Amino acid sequence: MACPCMMSAEQRDARQRSALIDKELNSERDTIKRQVKVLLLGAGESGKSTFLKQMRIIHGEDFDEAARKEYIPTVYNNLIKASKILCQAKEVMEIPWGDSSSSAHADRILSLAPSVDTAKEFAEVVPALKALWADSGIQAAFGRRSEFQLGDSTQYFYSRIDEIQQAGYIPDKQDVLRSRKATRGIHEYDLTIKKVPFKFVDVGGQRSQRTKWFQCFDEVTSILYLVSSSAFDQTLVEDRSTNRMSESLNIFNTIANNRCFKNVSIILFLNKTDLLEEKVKSVNIKDYFPDYSADPHNIDHVQKYMINKFDTQRNDRSKLLYHHFTTATDTNNIRYVFEAVRNTILETNLHDLMLD
């Protein structure tokens, strides 16, 4: 090796650059080795993307005004799509209009392009949206929404339609969390939480997207498996003959018993607790799961039953099934739950992550 005093200025610069690159590569290798890779899995509409938004709010770059503005078209189209679905469902279920003039409003909404992106375009259809929502026929269809696929936040966005139609409307955080756009492909989000690097990987949950899950299985530290606990009386968009809870159980069976995940901690999130609490007041889970034998209107009994259903999907039950009841749209709930999850993940993988 040449003595530094014998090097030219150009050689010394090249040597310094090389040393700096080596240092950065070593640092990156250490970060990757310590990185906690968390895979978010679950059927469609289970709340994976909402959970990822919460991680951004709690531990990452919050949604500033510019970021929230990007969700304006999504909010518009969530409302319009919901109205289209309700109009179509009303027809299929042969529910009459409460007001005959609503038929023309339905024609207007159903004829809209797939995407409405500007405030002017949206404002023009708000009168039709409002008239339809007020119609007793649409409300009757809404009351039977378990028979078809309708966004969970439909009522929420309709309650805010007066604010949403304003020319200067900017979604607030709750609007962002409740807005829905189906995940296509693989989305990764890197965060450092209490000096530990995390990589969250969100993959679409619809059947057509699940072939991409296997691309994410390498170097997984933990799996957060999300379930829409309130969907026990609903069917899939892709297959109207399959119950959504049954689909979630089948997927969980595949994941929990996959040899790739023998040493991976799997944490179950029974999500949408707020919707489940409301649903059990009037809907009997025994109508959809005949083996249920407890009080169908007791939320604790229903949740205990669900935990047991998922636990029995595992061939090896020697390890505890970590589970949490969550409401992904509730930031405080997710902050509290993820602190417990983080501790579980780190304690389980202490040696491998070199955190001792």
Side-chain angles (χ1 to χ4, degrees):
M1 183 180 290
C3 175
C5 61
M6 302 294 291
M7 292 181 182
S8 67
E10 185 176 339
Q11 287 175 318
R12 283 196 296 273
D13 286 345
R15 184 175 178 179
Q16 287 173 350
R17 283 197 300 273
S18 177
L20 183 61
I21 290 170
D22 287 343
K23 184 179 180 181
E24 289 175 349
L25 286 172
N26 287 332
S27 176
E28 186 174 336
R29 275 193 290 269
D30 288 343
T31 298
I32 291 172
K33 194 169 182 180
R34 296 178 69 247
Q35 187 178 67
V36 178
K37 182 177 178 181
V38 179
L39 198 54
L40 304 178
L41 296 182
E45 305 280 343
S46 58
K48 298 183 298 298
S49 298
T50 305
F51 176 85
L52 199 56
K53 291 176 190 175
Q54 290 285 23
M55 289 296 96
R56 174 174 174 175
I57 289 171
I58 297 166
H59 296 292
E61 296 179 7
D62 203 346
F63 288 92
D64 59 16
E65 184 173 300
R68 287 183 280 118
K69 280 182 176 179
E70 294 177 9
Y71 284 86
I72 293 174
T74 304
V75 172
Y76 290 164
N77 290 299
N78 279 186
L79 267 165
I80 291 168
K81 182 180 179 181
S83 187
K84 287 181 177 181
I85 290 170
L86 285 165
C87 289
Q88 292 164 343
K90 187 202 76 70
E91 290 302 309
V92 170
M93 294 186 286
E94 299 182 342
I95 300 172
W97 289 113
D99 184 335
S100 59
S101 65
S102 295
S103 179
H105 293 309
D107 290 342
R108 173 80 192 282
I109 296 301
L110 290 169
S111 67
L112 290 173
S115 181
V116 171
D117 299 325
T118 68
K120 182 176 182 296
E121 289 176 303
F122 182 73
E124 289 173 354
V125 299
V126 165
L129 290 172
K130 286 184 172 181
L132 288 169
W133 184 245
D135 190 278
S136 61
I138 291 296
Q139 285 300 310
F142 181 73
R144 293 172 58 182
R145 58 192 177 278
S146 66
E147 299 175 37
F148 55 95
Q149 195 77 19
L150 184 69
D152 292 326
S153 295
T154 296
Q155 190 166 19
Y156 168 82
F157 281 124
Y158 263 109
S159 73
R160 284 183 46 74
I161 196 168
D162 288 335
E163 289 82 9
I164 294 168
Q165 71 174 323
Q166 299 300 317
Y169 165 72
I170 299 173
D172 61 21
K173 286 181 190 176
Q174 196 59 212
D175 293 345
V176 169
L177 287 168
R178 290 179 177 270
S179 64
R180 168 68 183 160
K181 185 160 59 174
T183 302
R184 297 281 184 260
I186 300 166
H187 297 265
E188 297 184 349
Y189 193 60
D190 293 309
L191 286 170
T192 298
I193 303 173
K194 295 186 177 180
K195 298 182 180 180
V196 178
F198 279 75
K199 179 184 287 292
F200 292 93
V201 184
D202 177 23
V203 195
Q206 285 78 17
R207 285 179 172 178
S208 61
Q209 298 294 307
R210 290 178 205 158
T211 54
K212 299 171 185 174
W213 287 11
F214 297 97
Q215 300 172 33
C216 312
F217 285 1
D218 290 340
E219 305 298 325
V220 173
T221 311
S222 184
I223 292 172
L224 299 188
Y225 188 84
L226 282 82
V227 179
S228 176
S229 64
S230 62
F232 66 80
D233 62 338
Q234 296 172 261
T235 58
L236 299 178
V237 177
E238 313 96 297
D239 177 7
R240 295 299 172 86
S241 66
T242 301
N243 178 279
R244 286 175 62 185
M245 181 65 73
S246 296
E247 179 84 345
S248 290
L249 286 163
N250 290 335
I251 301 169
F252 185 77
N253 181 295
T254 301
I255 296 298
N257 299 313
N258 191 312
R259 286 180 297 176
C260 295
F261 303 133
K262 183 179 180 181
N263 298 313
V264 172
S265 57
I266 300 177
I267 302 171
L268 179 67
F269 276 22
L270 283 174
N271 194 31
K272 306 190 181 181
T273 301
D274 55 334
L275 301 180
L276 178 64
E277 287 176 346
E278 284 301 310
K279 183 166 285 187
V280 297
K281 292 175 183 177
S282 57
V283 181
N284 190 338
I285 190 173
K286 190 174 176 63
D287 293 340
Y288 304 91
F289 291 87
D291 64 329
Y292 184 84
S293 59
D295 180 355
H297 305 301
N298 183 304
I299 181 70
D300 294 331
H301 292 176
V302 171
Q303 288 179 324
K304 184 177 179 180
Y305 168 80
M306 289 181 178
I307 290 297
N308 185 62
K309 290 288 282 188
F310 280 93
D311 194 20
T312 54
Q313 298 300 311
R314 302 186 301 157
N315 294 335
D316 179 8
R317 298 174 65 190
S318 60
K319 291 190 293 185
L320 182 69
L321 174 62
Y322 295 103
H323 64 270
H324 297 275
F325 303 111
T326 59
T327 298
T329 55
D330 183 339
T331 302
N332 289 331
N333 172 254
I334 296 302
R335 180 184 285 111
Y336 173 80
V337 168
F338 188 72
E339 180 64 19
V341 168
R342 186 189 73 88
N343 292 337
T344 298
I345 293 172
L346 297 187
E347 287 170 10
T348 306
N349 299 277
L350 196 62
H351 177 73
D352 292 339
L353 297 170
M354 304 186 306
L355 297 175
D356 50 339

